[in-house]
Amino acid sequence: MGGKILLAGIDIPGIRGFDVYRAHGGYAAVEKALREMTASEVGQEVNRSGLRGRGGAGFPTGLKWSFLDRKSDKPRYLVCNADESEPGTFKDRYLMQHLPHRLIEGLIISSYALGVNTCYIYIRGEFKYLVGILETAIMEARQHGFLGDRILGTDYSLNIYVHPGAGAYICGEETALLESLEGKRGNPRIKPPFPAFKGLYGCPTVVNNVETLAAVGPIILMGGETYSKIGRGKSTGTKLISACGNINNPGVYEIEMGLPVEDFIYAPEYCGGIANDKYLKAVIPGGSSVPILPADLMLNTAKGEKRLMTYESLADGDFETGTMLGSGGFIVYDEDACIVRNTWNLAHFYRHESCGQCSPCREGTGWMEKVLYRIEHGLGKMSDIDLLVRVAKNIEGNTICPLGDAAAWPVASAIRHFRKEFEFHVKHPETVKNIHHGALNIEEESLIPDSGTGIKYW
Amino acid sequence: MQSAFGIIKTMKNSNIIHHPRFARDGKSVAFTPAVLAKVHALILRYPEGQQKSALLPVLHIAQEELGGYLSVDAMDYVATLLGIQPIEVYEVATFYSMFYLEKMGKYVIEVCRTGPCAISGGEKILAHLQEVLEIKPGETTPDGVFTLKEVECLGSCGTGPVMQVNSEYYEKLTPGKVDKLIEDFREYANRNKPGGLSWVEKFC
Ligand SMILES: Cc1cc2nc3c(=O)[nH]c(=O)nc-3n(C[C@H](O)[C@H](O)[C@H](O)COP(=O)(O)O)c2cc1C
Ligand code: SF4
Ligand code: FES
């Protein structure tokens, strides 16, 4: 396998500090790019690498950079998206905490390639403890001549600033993020115009995820061609996967794209199998916004091929029998997880996080939450299930930003694959009323977990 | 006013906003000179004429330095500092979940309620906290020490259940761990400043 690229050196004591990082080959990529390459050569390497955005959509990074309006005489900006709030996702946090200089290095090279002199890192406000780590890393880089005026004696200058958000999932959406960075409410903008033409302060702007930008340094060092051979097909390179839920080893793993899902879940060096020897029931493999899949479809595609950790394989079967790689937030559910309760929980999340600009999203997320609350608490009707499907369909594609879709997909997919469980809730209201996670084995008394939590919502 | 309906009570000055959240107590608020210097340095991180960009970081600082929540006086003060209209501050302060518009307990306990935490014990932790503190989410203990809140995913799903107390993360929680933490906080509550480094200290 390709070994560690993004997380290379993570186990070296003190690697968070500049001196140790530098002693282990750090900032060699910046030296190579700024001294030996032109800005457009850097862009070409990234293009050649096949690197795709790690923030969720998987859009080719080189292509995105090529859209940047270079004719405009306004300043250009690079904004690093460190908002990381997609449920199940905690990879960027891990990277910034342990290897802040890998990100700074990526930001310098990317800014150079884009002709940017000011770069902002928009980080979610809850990661307050990381703000200090990033500020220190930036200060160290400046002291050693890698930031500020005339970097390494070239005529290229760059400043990087950390900008904290203040608790709003929607600010991860790139145009909401830009609004927030301008000191406003995080209301997504209507596109077009795209940020490449009118972004921050109306200037040409590129927004990229932390992991995407951190990959740029290694790509420059090894060459785009070499990077593109790692991985599988159009899913090149390595990907950070944050694994959580009912598994033995939750954590952040750097995998080579193409790893079979089965290996990822069961191999001891990754998730290490399902905790407490339970059965695997379902997985949401790319953050809460992507469709949930039952165990059999997660391990093998509908065609019977092994499901792989790539953009293409996970999406195989589209929304009927497939899902998405998304942000790499890999959430594993064991036999005791109640899909209805989980769907209601996530519906609550999206209702809470909708910015409220578009009626289908603002109202639809509220309706879905209410109807799911009903079903989960033994107050549902059979017709509620199709009502949910209908509401989800009416949100999808009818909103300004993709949060509407992100709210609709989990509900639609949960019903598609676990309709029986929804029906069970409607048919047996007394049984489900006090059970939280544990609906699959509802008929076997012994497997009903001790609910007794006494939580009252609403 | 006398009318056919008897005496009608009308408000005299319709320009005053009568809403509990907008009660000004007339005390003037201001940062210390040291904090003010940091704030001015922060504003310079953004291009000329874009000083409004500093609003979120400055509101974080204001909340911490001016009483643990954003009073109307504090928000008006921030508006003056940034040269923007007070309404531009209010609309932002009401949008983001980390800004508090009411007085909070000394320790604000924010428990993640979202899916991954919920399936790994988060529901139990929240229930336990309600029992121990004898308050519901959104409430503050009568002694003013604790406020309990539910929040959405904190980006800590692999080490859940998780809660944040005054911006510090506490992960892999169990009811026993929670009891110990609450005990510690009660003990610390008499000291001056709870929590770790302040926002001002975070920015170089
Ligand atoms: C509701 C919503 C939330 C998002 N949250 C994040 C996020 O937390 N982090 C992130 O990098 N991208 C997030 N994105 C994706 C960004 O809009 C954007 O596509 C991404 O930052 C582009 O970077 P990339 O090309 O490097 O992936 C979100 C998108 C939506 C619609
Ligand atoms: S889809 Fe939802 S979150 Fe996105 S702009 Fe519309 S209301 Fe806001
Ligand atoms: S779900 Fe609790 S931290 Fe992500």
Side-chain angles (χ1 to χ4, degrees), chain A residues 373-417:
Chain A
Y373 173 88
R374 249 184 2 223
I375 301 177
E376 165 62 14
H377 292 81
L379 306 162
K381 298 184 287 232
M382 251 342 155
S383 59
D384 280 346
I385 303 173
D386 286 323
L387 175 65
L388 279 172
V389 175
R390 224 168 40 241
V391 174
K393 226 180 231 138
N394 282 326
I395 301 175
E396 216 183 315
N398 293 324
T399 56
I400 293 176
C401 91
L403 186 137
D405 303 338
W409 294 339
V411 175
S413 62
I415 296 177
R416 185 179 307 124
H417 299 297

Side-chain angles (χ1 to χ4, degrees), chain B residues 123-192:
Chain B
E123 296 185 347
K124 286 211 169 71
I125 294 299
L126 184 63
H128 186 72
L129 274 164
Q130 296 188 56
E131 230 166 77
V132 175
L133 301 176
E134 297 178 6
I135 49 173
K136 291 201 206 64
E139 294 176 352
T140 301
T141 52
D143 58 4
V145 176
F146 296 107
T147 299
L148 184 61
K149 271 186 78 185
E150 280 181 281
V151 290
E152 301 296 345
C153 180
L154 290 169
S156 195
C157 332
T159 38
V162 55
M163 66 185 190
Q164 215 178 14
V165 184
N166 299 0
S167 311
E168 297 287 318
Y169 276 66
Y170 297 90
E171 293 159 284
K172 295 192 180 174
L173 294 173
T174 58
K177 260 194 196 174
V178 168
D179 290 343
K180 176 81 183 63
L181 283 168
I182 296 291
E183 218 171 273
D184 291 352
F185 291 141
R186 282 218 167 100
E187 207 183 306
Y188 298 155
N190 300 323
R191 299 193 194 168
N192 276 341

